[in-house]
Amino acid sequence: MASKLPTQLATPGKIHQHRQFTTTPTTNPLSWRRILSPEPLLSLSTSFPSGKYNVNHLVKCSARATAEATGAMNLGPGTPVRPTSILVVGATGTLGRQIVRRALDEGYDVRCLVRPRPAPADFLRDWGATVVNADLSKPETIPATMVGVHTIIDCATGRPEEPIKTVDWEGKVALIQCAKAMGIQKYVFYSIHNCDKHPEVPLMEIKYCTEKFLEDSGLNHVIIRLCGFMQGLIGQYAVPILEDKSVWGTDAPTRIAYMDTQDIARLTLIALRNEKINGKLLTFAGPRAWTTQEVITLCERLAGQDANVTTVPVSVLRFTRQLTRFFEWTSDVADRLAFSEVLTSDVVFSVPMNETYNLLGVEQKDIVTLEKYLQDYFTNILKKLKDLKAQSKQSDFYI
């Protein structure tokens, strides 16, 4: 049920996951306190102990629920809300829009939290969703979006031009706190596979810290770690090959089990309805893990033409990352290159899915393979190109 928002939300105290981000050789751990009021909302005291990693804009993971934090809530009875009422955060993104579409098709009352933008998200309204404006970097805009909401599905992530910490850490802390204060009944959070194994990568460490913060918030939750989206391969490989442009790859043997975001949306809503999954951490992976070269070869075969491949050695990524750390204005570039370095290392981003399929009551044959996904794409796009070419020839004849 939704409840009256308290005047103040105190964040939890410390938990040490034996992981810390550092910038300068100071000694006090990160602490934070947010006050939801018209006044400036974030009072953030940041100082970082020295340690192994000298990476800018990183935070020390600290998120244990304490008596002070939970005592600040004092939630009273509120208005009951329908279990079918959900708020999708990050609804215009690659995954978010698929969550919205699937939830609407299954009869959910969907509300979409999107940032105020020059081009409104009219397609979400056209589908039948309600659109509300808020910004995770401005916590005072968040609570009103949760009134009458039962479940939050959090697909949001920062834009490439933003510091990673702004949305993916500070924004998520505010969002989870508001959800707790407003009496949200369930919270679904998307994370990254293996995020707990790479504390040197800011985005992955922040995802791991957010997982811990959510677990200790007391909210009923489901955490879903993802390996990769099939949709991302279209712009990265398929379109450049069709347009005879360079395709960027690496010499690393990394394998990623890409998954169709429509399948992710379907499995998410199944998990949402399964009470046995409350509090669990799931990992969704596609049927097979692929190297970059295997993906390029598949695209070449389906497109019927060779790719112009430019290979970037992993050593160059490492050197570039180290170089950008020397300049404050390139610190976020270094953070993102750290993620790229992991994606181009000798790592497999995949997990066996049999147990998850059984838990969700899903059969593997119903999960789209990368071959099928790309084949459908190339079949459709090549047919459209052929039709356009035919129309062009017909126009030339009449001229």
Side-chain angles (χ1 to χ4, degrees):
M1 61 179 62
S3 303
K4 184 178 178 182
L5 186 69
T7 305
Q8 177 172 311
L9 294 179
T11 63
K14 304 176 186 176
I15 63 169
H16 294 299
Q17 299 297 326
H18 303 292
R19 311 164 72 80
Q20 64 186 35
F21 292 139
T22 63
T23 51
T24 56
T26 51
T27 57
N28 298 324
L30 176 73
S31 62
W32 65 90
R33 180 177 293 269
R34 293 180 183 275
I35 299 173
L36 299 179
S37 71
E39 299 300 321
L41 299 178
L42 180 61
S43 175
L44 184 62
S45 172
T46 58
S47 52
F48 306 84
S50 59
K52 181 177 179 181
Y53 304 108
N54 292 316
V55 183
N56 290 328
H57 299 304
L58 303 179
V59 295
K60 187 168 183 179
C61 190
S62 179
R64 185 180 60 216
T66 64
E68 176 191 2
T70 54
M73 299 302 176
N74 292 325
L75 299 177
T79 304
V81 296
R82 296 190 306 268
T84 55
S85 61
I86 65 174
L87 175 68
V88 180
V89 185
T92 59
T94 302
L95 176 59
R97 63 183 62 198
Q98 297 298 341
I99 296 290
V100 172
R101 193 65 180 264
R102 184 78 192 192
L104 288 168
D105 289 346
E106 294 191 10
Y108 284 87
D109 179 13
V110 182
R111 188 180 305 175
C112 303
L113 188 157
V114 300
R115 301 193 212 194
R117 55 199 298 171
D122 288 337
F123 71 95
L124 297 172
R125 295 188 180 90
D126 293 341
W127 290 349
T130 301
V131 176
V132 292
N133 287 332
D135 190 332
L136 298 190
S137 65
K138 299 176 181 178
E140 72 273 18
T141 66
I142 299 174
T145 68
M146 298 183 183
V147 176
V149 168
H150 181 277
T151 298
I152 290 176
I153 302 180
D154 178 7
C155 314
T157 191
R159 295 168 178 163
E161 67 272 14
E162 294 176 316
I164 291 174
K165 196 174 69 170
T166 301
V167 170
D168 287 287
W169 175 244
E170 295 172 353
K172 295 306 177 79
V173 167
L175 186 65
I176 292 168
Q177 288 178 319
C178 286
K180 178 69 174 179
M182 297 294 288
I184 296 300
Q185 298 298 296
K186 188 173 290 188
Y187 192 108
V188 178
F189 174 66
Y190 291 103
S191 189
I192 301 173
H193 178 50
N194 282 337
C195 63
D196 54 322
K197 298 178 181 177
H198 296 281
E200 76 279 12
V201 180
L203 180 59
M204 298 182 81
E205 175 71 338
I206 284 173
K207 286 289 188 181
Y208 180 68
C209 286
T210 307
E211 289 180 5
K212 293 302 164 189
F213 187 71
L214 177 59
E215 289 172 358
D216 294 326
S217 69
L219 281 167
N220 193 6
H221 66 275
V222 178
I223 296 171
I224 300 173
R225 291 182 178 179
L226 304 174
C227 297
F229 299 157
M230 291 181 183
Q231 279 73 5
L233 300 176
I234 300 301
Q236 192 170 2
Y237 300 115
V239 172
I241 289 175
L242 289 171
E243 296 181 346
D244 292 321
K245 294 181 179 179
S246 291
V247 173
W248 296 88
T250 72
D251 55 358
T254 310
R255 308 182 74 88
I256 300 175
Y258 300 99
M259 197 171 195
D260 187 349
T261 53
Q262 292 187 25
D263 281 334
I264 295 173
R266 181 168 63 91
L267 297 187
T268 296
L269 291 170
I270 292 173
L272 197 62
R273 294 188 291 269
N274 190 335
E275 294 301 320
K276 295 179 181 179
I277 296 177
N278 291 339
K280 288 187 177 293
L281 189 155
L282 305 176
T283 299
F284 290 172
R288 174 189 162 185
W290 297 73
T291 66
T292 297
Q293 187 54 55
E294 288 172 338
V295 173
I296 293 173
T297 300
L298 177 61
C299 289
E300 287 177 321
R301 177 169 62 82
L302 295 172
Q305 61 191 73
D306 293 335
N308 180 18
V309 182
T310 301
T311 301
V312 180
V314 175
S315 58
V316 172
L317 283 176
R318 292 195 182 105
F319 173 75
T320 306
R321 178 187 169 200
Q322 294 295 331
L323 182 64
T324 54
R325 284 177 177 171
F326 287 107
F327 307 98
E328 182 177 356
W329 53 273
T330 58
S331 58
D332 289 313
V333 176
D335 290 352
R336 296 182 190 281
L337 283 173
F339 187 56
S340 299
E341 187 177 319
V342 170
L343 293 180
T344 53
S345 60
D346 188 8
V347 174
V348 177
F349 280 80
S350 182
V351 293
M353 286 288 290
N354 290 337
E355 185 178 343
T356 301
Y357 291 149
N358 291 335
L359 186 62
L360 298 178
V362 174
E363 295 187 25
Q364 181 173 343
K365 65 180 180 63
D366 296 327
I367 303 300
V368 174
T369 64
L370 184 60
E371 296 100 322
K372 179 67 167 61
Y373 176 82
L374 288 177
Q375 184 177 37
D376 288 347
Y377 171 79
F378 279 106
T379 299
N380 291 332
I381 199 70
L382 291 174
K383 182 179 183 301
K384 289 179 181 179
L385 290 173
K386 184 178 180 180
D387 291 344
L388 287 173
K389 187 175 181 180
Q391 290 176 9
S392 177
K393 286 183 177 180
Q394 188 176 26
S395 299
D396 291 344
F397 175 79
Y398 283 110
I399 288 174

